[in-house]
Amino acid sequence: MKKPAFFSLLLLIAFFSYSCASKQVQERPLWADLDTIGQVYDPCVYITAIGEGKSELQAVSNSDLELASRFSKSVTAFTESSTHMTELNGKFTGAEKDLVQIVNVYTEYDISTVNHTRPYFDPQRKQYIVCAYLERKTEFKKYETKLALEKKTYNNLYEMALSEKDPLKRINLLKPLSEEGEKGDKYLSKLLFARFIYEEGALTYLKDVEKMAMIPSLLFQAKNEIIFHLVETMENKEAVSALSRCLSKAGYASSSKNGIYPVLITFNKNRKLIDEMVIYEPEISVEVILGNESFIYNKTLKKLTSFIETESLIQKNMNSMILEDLENNFIPEFENTLEKLYN
């Protein structure tokens, strides 16, 4: 009777030992995988990132790095190596090299309030896993101070532009407010970032995107209020025609009969005849009178050469060359001058 009792006692001890051991094996948490993390941390409520490492500290650090990369402007990484000798029984047996990756993250956003889960050790991969998380609503309240200031600055400039009666000055005030402009791009980037943090909180601010969308039409309207008066003569007809098309393509209105700002155009073909050859060295000059100021554009175009029999082809090349030069050079230089005069 003693032997069955002894074996029963062993079985009972084994059962309790197994039960305790099984309790020590931690079940894999749902937050440790991208497919199931949303069941623990609702993506509408939290911003999350998973990090892995050989140690708990490394896993925490990598989760922070992954989270910071969502907010960063740049992430750079480089590897440092160090070599050391292994000593065994007073003798150096060989060299071993350690490789350590150093990561630098640049961000304007403060993520110092990040929270972490308790590390989970994956027995199969032999890696610690940690989830870093931020609560969206809390983070948005932190960021909203910067956003509100940017909104106030942008809207003040927008109202100032709309109230400007001079179309040239209005154009210069509106340009920086477009999505591609300095002020518009800065505010838009903050709006989109606010939306990333907490879309519900950013909705009120996102209405300003509609204002940005209106800038191109407001610029077009202002340009059409200007009306350049292109003074036409017998000698400059080709240049006047080219400039008229050029201004129209850029969104400006022009007329050869009347307008607000006179434009004086001089075009010299500088034709030379040498034996059977015709040589043109065309020059174009444009003066735009802007009240007390003037914009002057002078350009010597590419030399054109042809036989007398094919001189008509030179005329066609010259007209297309004038239009190309005015579009590529005149318009940018003119608009840059306007910015200097009216800013």
Side-chain angles (χ1 to χ4, degrees), residues 140-203:
F140 180 78
K141 287 180 180 178
K142 284 168 49 183
Y143 188 72
E144 193 171 13
T145 303
K146 289 183 179 179
L147 188 63
L149 182 62
E150 203 65 46
K151 174 185 175 68
K152 183 178 180 180
T153 301
Y154 184 87
N155 284 319
N156 286 343
L157 292 172
Y158 184 84
E159 294 301 324
M160 188 187 300
L162 293 187
S163 62
E164 177 56 58
K165 293 182 180 180
D166 187 326
L168 288 177
K169 292 181 180 180
R170 198 185 320 143
I171 289 170
N172 284 345
L173 290 171
L174 286 169
K175 274 186 178 180
L177 304 180
S178 67
E179 291 184 17
E180 296 79 19
E182 180 184 352
K183 300 293 183 183
D185 178 64
K186 184 179 178 182
Y187 184 33
L188 182 60
S189 65
K190 281 186 166 55
L191 285 173
L192 296 178
F193 188 63
R195 185 178 185 181
F196 160 70
I197 295 175
Y198 187 49
E199 185 163 7
E200 186 178 339
L203 286 177

Side-chain angles (χ1 to χ4, degrees), residues 165-167 170 220-227 253 260-261:
K165 293 182 180 180
D166 187 326
R170 198 185 320 143
F220 180 80
Q221 180 183 337
K223 286 181 176 181
N224 272 272
E225 290 177 27
I226 294 172
I227 309 179
I260 301 173
Y261 302 105

Side-chain angles (χ1 to χ4, degrees), residues 52-64 116 119 128 130:
E52 298 184 4
K54 293 182 179 180
S55 67
E56 293 184 5
L57 185 61
Q58 189 178 36
V60 171
S61 178
N62 286 338
S63 69
D64 286 347
H116 301 93
Y128 286 93
V130 170

Side-chain angles (χ1 to χ4, degrees), residues 52-55 120-129:
E52 298 184 4
K54 293 182 179 180
S55 67
Y120 162 74
F121 183 73
D122 187 331
Q124 292 183 340
R125 299 180 59 189
K126 296 182 179 179
Q127 293 276 328
Y128 286 93
I129 303 175

Side-chain angles (χ1 to χ4, degrees), residues 175 202 204 254:
K175 274 186 178 180
T204 303
S254 63

Side-chain angles (χ1 to χ4, degrees), residues 135-323:
E135 206 253 333
R136 290 183 180 275
K137 192 172 183 179
T138 302
E139 296 305 310
F140 180 78
K141 287 180 180 178
K142 284 168 49 183
Y143 188 72
E144 193 171 13
T145 303
K146 289 183 179 179
L147 188 63
L149 182 62
E150 203 65 46
K151 174 185 175 68
K152 183 178 180 180
T153 301
Y154 184 87
N155 284 319
N156 286 343
L157 292 172
Y158 184 84
E159 294 301 324
M160 188 187 300
L162 293 187
S163 62
E164 177 56 58
K165 293 182 180 180
D166 187 326
L168 288 177
K169 292 181 180 180
R170 198 185 320 143
I171 289 170
N172 284 345
L173 290 171
L174 286 169
K175 274 186 178 180
L177 304 180
S178 67
E179 291 184 17
E180 296 79 19
E182 180 184 352
K183 300 293 183 183
D185 178 64
K186 184 179 178 182
Y187 184 33
L188 182 60
S189 65
K190 281 186 166 55
L191 285 173
L192 296 178
F193 188 63
R195 185 178 185 181
F196 160 70
I197 295 175
Y198 187 49
E199 185 163 7
E200 186 178 339
L203 286 177
T204 303
Y205 295 88
L206 287 171
K207 292 178 181 178
D208 287 336
V209 176
E210 298 175 7
K211 292 181 180 178
M212 292 182 195
M214 291 175 60
I215 299 295
S217 62
L218 292 172
L219 283 169
F220 180 80
Q221 180 183 337
K223 286 181 176 181
N224 272 272
E225 290 177 27
I226 294 172
I227 309 179
F228 293 104
H229 178 204
L230 307 183
V231 182
E232 184 176 290
T233 64
M234 291 294 293
E235 292 77 18
N236 70 0
K237 282 188 176 182
E238 296 95 337
V240 166
S241 176
L243 184 57
S244 177
R245 281 180 287 166
C246 174
L247 289 169
S248 178
K249 188 174 180 180
Y252 295 99
S254 63
S255 171
S256 59
K257 295 180 180 179
N258 52 55
I260 301 173
Y261 302 105
V263 182
L264 308 178
I265 307 164
T266 304
F267 180 62
N268 295 319
K269 296 179 182 178
N270 294 325
R271 180 179 182 273
K272 296 177 183 178
L273 185 61
I274 302 176
D275 296 329
E276 298 296 318
M277 301 295 295
V278 178
I279 301 173
Y280 284 87
E281 295 180 311
E283 294 178 333
I284 186 169
S285 175
V286 181
E287 181 181 6
V288 184
I289 301 173
L290 303 164
N292 297 325
E293 304 285 348
S294 291
F295 167 72
I296 299 175
Y297 177 82
N298 293 305
K299 190 71 176 287
T300 299
L301 305 179
K302 184 175 69 175
K303 183 189 294 187
L304 299 172
T305 306
S306 174
F307 291 104
I308 295 178
E309 292 81 4
T310 57
E311 186 175 356
S312 60
L313 295 176
I314 288 185
Q315 295 289 347
K316 292 181 180 179
N317 289 336
M318 190 156 45
N319 290 340
S320 62
M321 191 166 60
I322 294 169
L323 181 60

